[in-house]
Amino acid sequence: MESANQTASVTEFILLGLSAHLKLEKTFFVLILLTYLLILLGNGVLVLVTVSDSRLHTPMYFFLGNLSFLDICYTTSSVPLILDSFLTPRKTISFSGCAVQMFLSFAMGATECVLLGMMAFDRYVAICNPLRYPMVMSKAAYVPMAAGSWAAGSAAFMVQTSLAMRLPFCGDNVINHFTCEILAVLKLACADISINVISMGVTNVIFLGVPVLFILVSYIFILTTILRIPSAEGRKKAFSTCSAHLTVVVVFYGTILFMYGKPKSKDPLGADKQDLADKLISLFYGVLTPMLNPIIYSLRNKDVKAAVRNLVSEKHFTW
């Protein structure tokens, strides 16, 4: 009963964001707003063309449409809150709002990890077993694969969010972050969080480690198959079908490794600078990959470029 009362007493959290660096807030408001608009435009166009253009009704582009819609959902779960915090003197979020935002951002991130793995499998079958591709990657297979990615990511972080928000918060309610980042929220709990830490570790292994391993093994087989193709033109054509996905994987996991793998400063005098750097890296990580994904796929894919041109010409003709 005491824990329940303590938890109920916290009705909102205060998000620090860049409160200690007010001069940067207006600059970053403009940068993040422009980036967010580019994300909505780029990914929105990709979703539209993959749905409207019959030539893109294939497993690869179905997954691409899901990835683009996912990036829109992921950024929308946090960027409007961040933009509002840059303009509002008192940066607060309700207890329930914090739970919803935490769930959405992490569920979308976990779903993207699984979806990238599914896309790697699609490229593996297309290159290593092209004759069996229509049978293996039929609509009855790739639609449940995409749906399973969404369901798995949502279910896992529903559990994580529930475990986090059931903790008692009886003291400080100030989150040293732009959003309700789960590790920052857990630091505020006045109870043992060992179960949360263990479950987070298991979840990270499942949704980060397993997809990375799956993607790595898939591309080992893909590269082995490509190198066996006798003609240089054939090798180039085969590699071009998976180069965009490989680039997205490198950007996505590369930014994660950079953000969490870099060494922490041991100099107490540089703690403020370290804290600012961590926040900015986290901020740009949240918008970098969603912004780059449509650029990578449109620049390196003739089918997508042709579909976008057709869409633009049709709209122009209609007007």
Side-chain angles (χ1 to χ4, degrees):
M1 181 66 70
E2 183 180 350
S3 295
N5 290 336
Q6 288 173 333
T7 306
S9 66
V10 177
T11 59
E12 65 179 17
F13 291 102
I14 298 173
L15 302 169
L16 282 186
L18 291 176
S19 298
H21 306 274
L22 296 177
K23 293 181 179 179
L24 295 176
E25 288 193 331
K26 291 184 179 179
T27 301
F28 281 105
F29 174 84
V30 175
L31 288 176
I32 298 302
L33 177 60
L34 291 176
T35 304
Y36 181 53
L37 293 176
L38 287 174
I39 290 169
L40 294 180
L41 176 63
N43 287 286
V45 168
L46 276 183
V47 171
L48 190 59
V49 297
T50 55
V51 171
S52 62
D53 196 312
S54 59
R55 293 170 299 178
L56 301 184
H57 291 174
T58 63
M60 182 175 74
Y61 296 114
F62 178 77
F63 286 130
L64 176 58
N66 272 264
L67 182 66
S68 295
F69 181 67
L70 181 66
D71 284 338
I72 291 173
C73 294
Y74 176 71
T75 51
T76 301
S77 71
S78 59
V79 171
L81 178 64
I82 294 171
L83 292 174
D84 180 66
S85 73
F86 286 149
L87 300 177
T88 308
R90 183 170 172 78
K91 311 170 196 303
T92 60
I93 183 171
S94 67
F95 189 87
S96 58
C98 183
V100 171
Q101 191 273 318
M102 182 191 300
F103 164 73
L104 288 175
S105 61
F106 277 92
M108 296 304 102
T111 301
E112 183 157 354
C113 290
V114 180
L115 194 59
L116 288 174
M118 298 297 182
M119 295 173 77
F121 177 75
D122 172 71
R123 293 299 83 207
Y124 160 76
V125 178
I127 294 174
C128 299
N129 296 283
L131 297 179
R132 298 186 60 196
Y133 183 76
M135 180 180 67
V136 175
M137 295 304 296
S138 64
K139 189 172 183 179
Y142 68 75
V143 171
M145 287 169 67
S149 301
W150 285 87
S154 300
F157 277 92
M158 177 67 77
V159 173
Q160 296 301 323
T161 304
S162 298
L163 288 174
M165 303 315 284
R166 288 175 63 185
L167 291 168
F169 298 93
C170 49
D172 194 2
N173 68 334
V174 178
I175 299 175
N176 189 20
H177 212 276
F178 294 103
T179 60
C180 287
E181 202 271 335
I182 191 166
L183 295 178
V185 172
L186 289 178
K187 290 179 181 178
L188 304 181
C190 51
D192 182 21
I193 61 170
S194 56
I195 293 178
N196 302 76
V197 173
I198 293 171
S199 63
M200 280 290 295
V202 172
T203 303
N204 286 339
V205 169
I206 294 173
F207 286 93
L208 282 175
V210 173
V212 166
L213 183 62
F214 186 79
I215 292 169
L216 180 62
V217 172
S218 297
Y219 272 100
I220 289 174
F221 283 108
I222 288 172
L223 291 175
T224 302
T225 302
I226 290 176
L227 292 175
R228 289 175 181 169
I229 299 174
S231 68
E233 185 64 27
R235 289 194 296 271
K236 182 180 177 181
K237 184 177 179 180
F239 185 74
S240 67
T241 64
C242 59
S243 59
H245 173 259
L246 184 59
T247 304
V248 168
V249 168
V250 171
V251 171
F252 180 76
Y253 285 104
T255 50
I256 291 177
L257 289 174
F258 176 77
M259 186 166 64
Y260 292 108
K262 60 186 178 61
K264 299 291 184 181
S265 174
K266 296 182 179 180
D267 180 11
L269 296 177
D272 290 340
K273 291 183 179 180
Q274 178 76 52
D275 180 61
L276 176 61
D278 289 344
K279 287 181 180 179
L280 294 181
I281 291 171
S282 175
L283 176 62
F284 282 102
Y285 161 72
V287 296
L288 177 65
T289 305
M291 182 185 70
L292 292 179
N293 283 352
I295 297 174
I296 292 168
Y297 273 101
S298 61
L299 287 178
R300 304 181 69 89
N301 192 296
K302 294 179 180 178
D303 293 334
V304 172
K305 285 192 285 189
V308 172
R309 283 196 297 268
N310 289 339
L311 179 66
V312 172
S313 62
E314 288 175 4
K315 294 296 181 183
H316 180 72
F317 180 77
T318 303
W319 282 101

